[in-house]
Amino acid sequence: VDPTNGEGPTAYRPPPRVKDIEVNGIQIKLKFCYSCRIFRPPRASHCSFCDNCVVAFLALWSVVGLSGFHSYLIYNGQTTNEQIKGSWAARRGEATTNPYNHSSVLKNFLAVSCGPFPP
């Protein structure tokens, strides 16, 4: 059955996945949301909590996610760079320890928030 030539029953055909629009003279790609059946506005995402496409989703979850991630790093006595590079991860069976980890979540937090800052 080919719904494009008019033969057979008409079936739902989703639109293309992206649609190009122009915003202030710049080409922007809008993505189609299959849940809402709309082209999402620029910088929007589908929120599984409210089941709608929302623009503020990225800003809100970015702040919450960054706060949670950096709290995790503080509790483990790591910097962002050390965590990304895996500086204190075991490699090839070698045991490595983080010299800045104070072996306690509370001690790590106090060392970062109340400890002296090196010059």
Short mmCIF file of all heavy atoms in Angstrom, two decimals, residues 62-94:
data_model
loop_
_atom_site.label_atom_id
_atom_site.label_comp_id
_atom_site.label_asym_id
_atom_site.label_seq_id
_atom_site.Cartn_x
_atom_site.Cartn_y
_atom_site.Cartn_z
N SER A 62 20.03 21.79 33.70
CA SER A 62 21.47 22.04 33.66
C SER A 62 21.96 22.52 35.02
O SER A 62 23.00 22.08 35.51
CB SER A 62 21.80 23.08 32.60
OG SER A 62 21.53 22.56 31.33
N VAL A 63 21.21 23.42 35.64
CA VAL A 63 21.60 23.93 36.96
C VAL A 63 21.56 22.81 37.99
O VAL A 63 22.50 22.63 38.77
CB VAL A 63 20.69 25.11 37.38
CG1 VAL A 63 20.92 25.49 38.83
CG2 VAL A 63 20.92 26.30 36.47
N VAL A 64 20.48 22.04 37.98
CA VAL A 64 20.35 20.93 38.94
C VAL A 64 21.43 19.90 38.68
O VAL A 64 22.09 19.42 39.62
CB VAL A 64 18.95 20.30 38.83
CG1 VAL A 64 18.86 19.02 39.66
CG2 VAL A 64 17.89 21.29 39.27
N GLY A 65 21.66 19.57 37.43
CA GLY A 65 22.67 18.56 37.09
C GLY A 65 24.08 19.01 37.44
O GLY A 65 24.86 18.24 38.00
N LEU A 66 24.42 20.26 37.15
CA LEU A 66 25.75 20.76 37.48
C LEU A 66 25.96 20.83 38.98
O LEU A 66 27.03 20.50 39.48
CB LEU A 66 25.98 22.13 36.85
CG LEU A 66 26.31 22.14 35.38
CD1 LEU A 66 26.38 23.56 34.85
CD2 LEU A 66 27.62 21.42 35.12
N SER A 67 24.93 21.24 39.72
CA SER A 67 25.05 21.30 41.18
C SER A 67 25.27 19.91 41.75
O SER A 67 26.13 19.71 42.61
CB SER A 67 23.79 21.91 41.79
OG SER A 67 23.62 23.23 41.36
N GLY A 68 24.50 18.95 41.25
CA GLY A 68 24.65 17.57 41.73
C GLY A 68 26.00 16.99 41.37
O GLY A 68 26.65 16.34 42.19
N PHE A 69 26.46 17.25 40.15
CA PHE A 69 27.74 16.73 39.69
C PHE A 69 28.89 17.31 40.51
O PHE A 69 29.79 16.60 40.95
CB PHE A 69 27.93 17.04 38.20
CG PHE A 69 29.27 16.62 37.66
CD1 PHE A 69 29.59 15.28 37.52
CD2 PHE A 69 30.20 17.56 37.30
CE1 PHE A 69 30.82 14.89 37.02
CE2 PHE A 69 31.43 17.19 36.79
CZ PHE A 69 31.74 15.85 36.66
N HIS A 70 28.86 18.62 40.75
CA HIS A 70 29.95 19.24 41.50
C HIS A 70 29.88 18.87 42.99
O HIS A 70 30.93 18.79 43.64
CB HIS A 70 29.97 20.76 41.28
CG HIS A 70 30.53 21.09 39.94
ND1 HIS A 70 29.73 21.37 38.87
CD2 HIS A 70 31.80 21.15 39.49
CE1 HIS A 70 30.49 21.60 37.82
NE2 HIS A 70 31.76 21.46 38.16
N SER A 71 28.70 18.63 43.51
CA SER A 71 28.61 18.11 44.89
C SER A 71 29.25 16.73 44.96
O SER A 71 29.99 16.43 45.90
CB SER A 71 27.14 18.02 45.33
OG SER A 71 26.57 19.30 45.38
N TYR A 72 28.99 15.90 43.96
CA TYR A 72 29.62 14.57 43.89
C TYR A 72 31.13 14.70 43.87
O TYR A 72 31.85 13.97 44.57
CB TYR A 72 29.10 13.85 42.64
CG TYR A 72 29.92 12.66 42.23
CD1 TYR A 72 29.77 11.43 42.87
CD2 TYR A 72 30.84 12.75 41.19
CE1 TYR A 72 30.53 10.33 42.49
CE2 TYR A 72 31.60 11.66 40.81
CZ TYR A 72 31.44 10.45 41.46
OH TYR A 72 32.20 9.37 41.09
N LEU A 73 31.65 15.64 43.08
CA LEU A 73 33.10 15.83 43.01
C LEU A 73 33.68 16.28 44.35
O LEU A 73 34.72 15.79 44.77
CB LEU A 73 33.46 16.84 41.92
CG LEU A 73 33.20 16.42 40.48
CD1 LEU A 73 33.53 17.55 39.53
CD2 LEU A 73 33.97 15.17 40.13
N ILE A 74 33.01 17.21 45.01
CA ILE A 74 33.48 17.68 46.32
C ILE A 74 33.51 16.54 47.31
O ILE A 74 34.48 16.36 48.06
CB ILE A 74 32.60 18.84 46.83
CG1 ILE A 74 32.86 20.09 46.01
CG2 ILE A 74 32.85 19.11 48.32
CD1 ILE A 74 31.88 21.21 46.27
N TYR A 75 32.46 15.74 47.33
CA TYR A 75 32.39 14.63 48.29
C TYR A 75 33.47 13.59 48.03
O TYR A 75 33.89 12.89 48.94
CB TYR A 75 31.01 13.99 48.27
CG TYR A 75 29.91 14.92 48.74
CD1 TYR A 75 28.64 14.83 48.21
CD2 TYR A 75 30.15 15.91 49.69
CE1 TYR A 75 27.63 15.69 48.63
CE2 TYR A 75 29.15 16.76 50.10
CZ TYR A 75 27.89 16.65 49.57
OH TYR A 75 26.90 17.49 49.98
N ASN A 76 33.94 13.50 46.78
CA ASN A 76 35.00 12.55 46.45
C ASN A 76 36.38 13.18 46.41
O ASN A 76 37.36 12.51 46.09
CB ASN A 76 34.71 11.87 45.10
CG ASN A 76 33.59 10.88 45.23
OD1 ASN A 76 33.59 10.05 46.12
ND2 ASN A 76 32.61 10.99 44.35
N GLY A 77 36.46 14.48 46.72
CA GLY A 77 37.75 15.16 46.75
C GLY A 77 38.41 15.27 45.39
O GLY A 77 39.62 15.13 45.27
N GLN A 78 37.63 15.53 44.35
CA GLN A 78 38.16 15.62 43.00
C GLN A 78 37.82 16.96 42.36
O GLN A 78 36.85 17.61 42.75
CB GLN A 78 37.57 14.53 42.09
CG GLN A 78 37.98 13.14 42.41
CD GLN A 78 37.40 12.15 41.42
OE1 GLN A 78 36.35 12.39 40.84
NE2 GLN A 78 38.09 11.06 41.21
N THR A 79 38.61 17.35 41.37
CA THR A 79 38.26 18.48 40.54
C THR A 79 37.57 17.94 39.29
O THR A 79 37.61 16.73 39.01
CB THR A 79 39.51 19.28 40.11
OG1 THR A 79 40.32 18.44 39.30
CG2 THR A 79 40.29 19.76 41.31
N THR A 80 36.94 18.83 38.53
CA THR A 80 36.28 18.41 37.30
C THR A 80 37.29 17.78 36.34
O THR A 80 37.03 16.73 35.74
CB THR A 80 35.60 19.61 36.63
OG1 THR A 80 34.72 20.23 37.55
CG2 THR A 80 34.81 19.20 35.40
N ASN A 81 38.45 18.41 36.21
CA ASN A 81 39.48 17.92 35.30
C ASN A 81 39.97 16.53 35.72
O ASN A 81 40.16 15.65 34.88
CB ASN A 81 40.64 18.91 35.26
CG ASN A 81 41.60 18.62 34.14
OD1 ASN A 81 41.21 18.11 33.10
ND2 ASN A 81 42.86 18.95 34.35
N GLU A 82 40.16 16.31 37.01
CA GLU A 82 40.62 15.00 37.49
C GLU A 82 39.59 13.92 37.21
O GLU A 82 39.92 12.80 36.84
CB GLU A 82 40.91 15.06 38.99
CG GLU A 82 42.12 15.88 39.35
CD GLU A 82 42.25 16.14 40.84
OE1 GLU A 82 41.28 15.94 41.59
OE2 GLU A 82 43.34 16.56 41.25
N GLN A 83 38.31 14.27 37.37
CA GLN A 83 37.25 13.28 37.14
C GLN A 83 37.14 12.94 35.67
O GLN A 83 37.04 11.78 35.29
CB GLN A 83 35.92 13.81 37.68
CG GLN A 83 34.90 12.73 37.98
CD GLN A 83 34.12 12.30 36.77
OE1 GLN A 83 33.96 13.02 35.80
NE2 GLN A 83 33.61 11.08 36.82
N ILE A 84 37.21 13.95 34.80
CA ILE A 84 37.08 13.71 33.36
C ILE A 84 38.26 12.89 32.84
O ILE A 84 38.09 11.96 32.06
CB ILE A 84 36.95 15.04 32.60
CG1 ILE A 84 35.59 15.66 32.91
CG2 ILE A 84 37.12 14.85 31.10
CD1 ILE A 84 35.41 17.07 32.38
N LYS A 85 39.46 13.24 33.28
CA LYS A 85 40.66 12.52 32.84
C LYS A 85 40.80 11.16 33.50
O LYS A 85 41.56 10.32 33.03
CB LYS A 85 41.91 13.34 33.15
CG LYS A 85 42.14 14.51 32.25
CD LYS A 85 43.45 15.16 32.64
CE LYS A 85 43.96 16.06 31.57
NZ LYS A 85 45.26 16.64 31.94
N GLY A 86 40.11 10.95 34.61
CA GLY A 86 40.27 9.70 35.34
C GLY A 86 41.61 9.64 36.05
O GLY A 86 42.24 8.57 36.11
N SER A 87 42.07 10.77 36.56
CA SER A 87 43.40 10.85 37.17
C SER A 87 43.61 9.86 38.30
O SER A 87 44.71 9.34 38.49
CB SER A 87 43.65 12.27 37.71
OG SER A 87 43.61 13.19 36.66
N TRP A 88 42.57 9.59 39.08
CA TRP A 88 42.73 8.72 40.25
C TRP A 88 42.05 7.37 40.04
O TRP A 88 41.88 6.61 40.98
CB TRP A 88 42.20 9.40 41.50
CG TRP A 88 42.73 10.79 41.65
CD1 TRP A 88 42.02 11.94 41.68
CD2 TRP A 88 44.11 11.17 41.76
NE1 TRP A 88 42.85 13.02 41.79
CE2 TRP A 88 44.15 12.58 41.84
CE3 TRP A 88 45.31 10.48 41.78
CZ2 TRP A 88 45.32 13.29 41.96
CZ3 TRP A 88 46.49 11.21 41.89
CH2 TRP A 88 46.49 12.59 41.99
N ALA A 89 41.71 7.04 38.81
CA ALA A 89 41.11 5.73 38.51
C ALA A 89 42.23 4.70 38.38
O ALA A 89 43.32 4.99 37.92
CB ALA A 89 40.30 5.80 37.23
N ALA A 90 41.93 3.48 38.80
CA ALA A 90 42.91 2.39 38.68
C ALA A 90 43.14 2.08 37.21
O ALA A 90 42.20 1.95 36.43
CB ALA A 90 42.41 1.17 39.42
N ARG A 91 44.41 1.97 36.84
CA ARG A 91 44.76 1.66 35.46
C ARG A 91 45.63 0.42 35.41
O ARG A 91 46.59 0.30 36.15
CB ARG A 91 45.55 2.82 34.84
CG ARG A 91 44.70 4.04 34.67
CD ARG A 91 45.45 5.11 33.88
NE ARG A 91 44.71 6.34 34.00
CZ ARG A 91 45.20 7.45 34.50
NH1 ARG A 91 46.44 7.51 34.93
NH2 ARG A 91 44.46 8.53 34.58
N ARG A 92 45.27 -0.49 34.52
CA ARG A 92 46.05 -1.72 34.29
C ARG A 92 46.43 -2.42 35.59
O ARG A 92 47.55 -2.86 35.78
CB ARG A 92 47.31 -1.38 33.49
CG ARG A 92 47.00 -0.90 32.10
CD ARG A 92 48.27 -0.64 31.31
NE ARG A 92 48.04 0.53 30.51
CZ ARG A 92 48.78 1.63 30.55
NH1 ARG A 92 49.82 1.72 31.33
NH2 ARG A 92 48.49 2.65 29.78
N GLY A 93 45.50 -2.46 36.51
CA GLY A 93 45.76 -3.18 37.75
C GLY A 93 46.55 -2.41 38.78
O GLY A 93 46.77 -2.88 39.88
N GLU A 94 47.00 -1.19 38.43
CA GLU A 94 47.75 -0.38 39.39
C GLU A 94 46.78 0.29 40.35
O GLU A 94 45.80 0.89 39.95
CB GLU A 94 48.54 0.71 38.66
CG GLU A 94 49.57 0.19 37.69
CD GLU A 94 50.21 1.33 36.89
OE1 GLU A 94 49.94 2.50 37.20
OE2 GLU A 94 50.95 1.02 35.96
#
